[in-house]
Amino acid sequence: MLRRSFTLGSLAGLTAAIKGLSPDARAQVSWPSGGSVDQATVDELRSIGASYRRSYKSFPASSLVPVAHDQLQLVTSLRPKDQPVHLRSSLLTHMAEMAALAAVLLSLDLGDQEQADAYMDLGYQIAKEIGSPELAALILGGRAFRTSYGGDPDGGLDYALAAVDTAERGASKRMRAWTNAVASEMYSTTGDDHGFRSSLEESRTLLSGPMDDDRWGGIAWFDLSKADAYEGSDLVRLGRHAEALPSLDKAIEQLSPEMLRHRCTAYVSRAEAHAGANHVEAACEDGHAALELVAQVQHGETFRRVTELHRGLRSRKTAGTRSLGEHLIDTRALLKTIGSAA
């Protein structure tokens, strides 16, 4: 696990700092009493935050988490509770977006569920206080993954459907599309083919219409190529491996080259599809491709899936399975080295 320069104690301080929007909030910060922030400063912070959220596509988790945490501390030091209403809302929105970014990286990449939960709680609290369906839906979608991957698929579906409902109350169209895609995955995990299909169809319908991307508060990006990746991985979860391959082929072909994490998960899903279809060497090739990207972005969930894939195939004792096993050992050592240096 990567060591980090922040603690749950410092995160609790951030939570106290935004608890309630009234002037008696309990922030202990360095900004001089009565100090105000100008609009240009807030706009610059929001622009920086947007670039960090986009960076999720390709930046290493160990680099992005501290940056997101530093942004939270910076905004807290500006005493958002003391700012005019319109600036206060923008500052708190930035905090919630950075909390969501940190939570996703800690949960899916670095495997630190305790810290991830704390960031999710912080982000959701802010989203509720400022009345943002965009950010509340984002956090609920993250909770769906966290809960389902933690061994509670029905609970994951509960969170996903809550995210869909929340997004319908005023989130951007791209956020509504993403939450429906999340629901499609949760439905497939519970074996509900109709729910998977209807949710993914709704996601694609939303993506095919006019968009309002100035309101997008999500992490990285979500488009039709990513919807194809969801379809393929959903079909794998439903055990329809051969049927999944065309969607995953299309996703890998169309995902932008800089979307390293998205390509990483698409490759491991296709590896699983090939393995299920008894294409052992093709599965190993895609496992190698996924691991190459894991080494760049430190996506722990993909590493776990490739590990499980190899354990299911190694009894074949082919050159491909042996090579994949060696690649896993090398990647595990690399991740440990990165962790000890962080």
Side-chain angles (χ1 to χ4, degrees):
M1 183 180 298
L2 296 179
R3 294 181 299 161
R4 284 167 286 279
S5 60
F6 49 88
T7 65
L8 287 173
S10 66
L11 188 56
L14 293 173
T15 304
I18 59 89
K19 184 174 178 58
L21 299 183
S22 61
D24 62 352
R26 300 188 297 275
Q28 300 296 320
V29 293
S30 59
W31 191 257
S33 178
S36 61
V37 184
D38 60 83
Q39 184 68 59
T41 298
V42 175
D43 290 345
E44 185 173 357
L45 279 172
R46 296 300 309 280
S47 178
I48 290 170
S51 71
Y52 290 152
R53 289 186 289 116
R54 289 192 299 270
S55 296
Y56 173 83
K57 295 182 293 185
S58 55
F59 274 41
S62 60
S63 298
L64 272 182
V65 173
V67 166
H69 183 81
D70 288 347
Q71 287 292 303
L72 285 163
Q73 290 185 312
L74 174 60
V75 174
T76 303
S77 76
L78 300 178
R79 300 184 69 106
K81 70 184 182 66
D82 291 338
Q83 304 304 325
V85 172
H86 67 290
L87 297 180
R88 182 173 64 197
S89 179
S90 290
L91 288 169
L92 291 172
T93 296
H94 179 61
M95 287 185 74
E97 290 170 348
M98 293 299 96
L101 175 60
V104 168
L105 290 162
L106 286 161
S107 179
L108 299 182
D109 292 61
L110 303 181
D112 189 336
Q113 304 306 338
E114 184 181 12
Q115 291 258 18
D117 286 345
Y119 278 104
M120 287 183 188
D121 289 343
L122 174 64
Y124 192 66
Q125 178 185 345
I126 299 173
K128 295 290 284 185
E129 290 192 3
I130 64 177
S132 172
E134 182 85 1
L135 295 172
L138 176 64
I139 297 293
L140 288 167
R143 284 283 190 200
F145 290 119
R146 162 79 172 94
T147 304
S148 181
Y149 295 175
D152 182 6
D154 290 318
L157 179 58
D158 290 340
Y159 275 117
L161 295 180
V164 170
D165 289 343
T166 300
E168 288 293 333
R169 299 184 197 132
S172 68
K173 290 184 179 178
R174 200 170 297 277
M175 182 60 69
R176 290 165 58 196
W178 177 74
T179 57
N180 273 281
V182 174
S184 81
E185 178 173 324
M186 299 302 126
Y187 274 124
S188 69
T189 303
T190 61
D192 187 335
D193 183 80
H194 174 73
F196 141 65
R197 283 293 181 193
S198 60
S199 294
L200 199 59
E201 181 180 353
E202 177 64 16
S203 179
R204 285 192 167 117
T205 298
L206 287 162
L207 289 172
S208 299
M211 306 304 289
D212 49 358
D213 285 336
D214 58 310
R215 302 176 55 230
W216 167 247
I219 297 168
W221 196 238
F222 181 74
D223 57 19
L224 286 169
S225 64
K226 188 57 182 165
D228 289 332
Y230 267 93
E231 180 177 40
S233 63
D234 291 349
L235 288 167
V236 170
R237 288 180 173 86
L238 289 166
R240 289 149 61 179
H241 302 103
E243 189 179 346
L245 286 169
S247 295
L248 292 165
D249 289 344
K250 184 178 179 182
I252 290 169
E253 179 182 352
Q254 296 189 354
L255 282 166
S256 299
E258 70 271 14
M259 295 177 75
L260 300 187
R261 274 186 177 78
H262 304 78
R263 296 181 67 82
C264 185
T265 56
Y267 271 119
V268 72
S269 292
R270 194 171 70 175
E272 292 166 345
H274 277 305
N278 203 31
H279 307 155
V280 175
E281 296 309 309
C284 291
E285 289 176 10
D286 279 342
H288 281 297
L291 289 177
E292 291 290 344
L293 295 172
V294 167
Q296 296 181 59
V297 298
Q298 303 156 10
H299 196 262
E301 176 62 17
T302 292
F303 182 80
R304 181 193 66 77
R305 290 170 65 185
V306 178
T307 300
E308 289 191 0
L309 171 82
H310 176 254
R311 288 170 179 169
L313 294 176
R314 63 187 173 189
S315 62
R316 305 296 186 93
K317 298 182 179 180
T318 68
T321 60
R322 286 191 292 271
S323 176
L324 184 60
E326 293 169 0
H327 198 169
L328 275 164
I329 291 171
D330 291 342
T331 305
R332 182 179 290 110
L334 174 65
L335 294 177
K336 286 183 178 180
T337 300
I338 293 170
S340 63

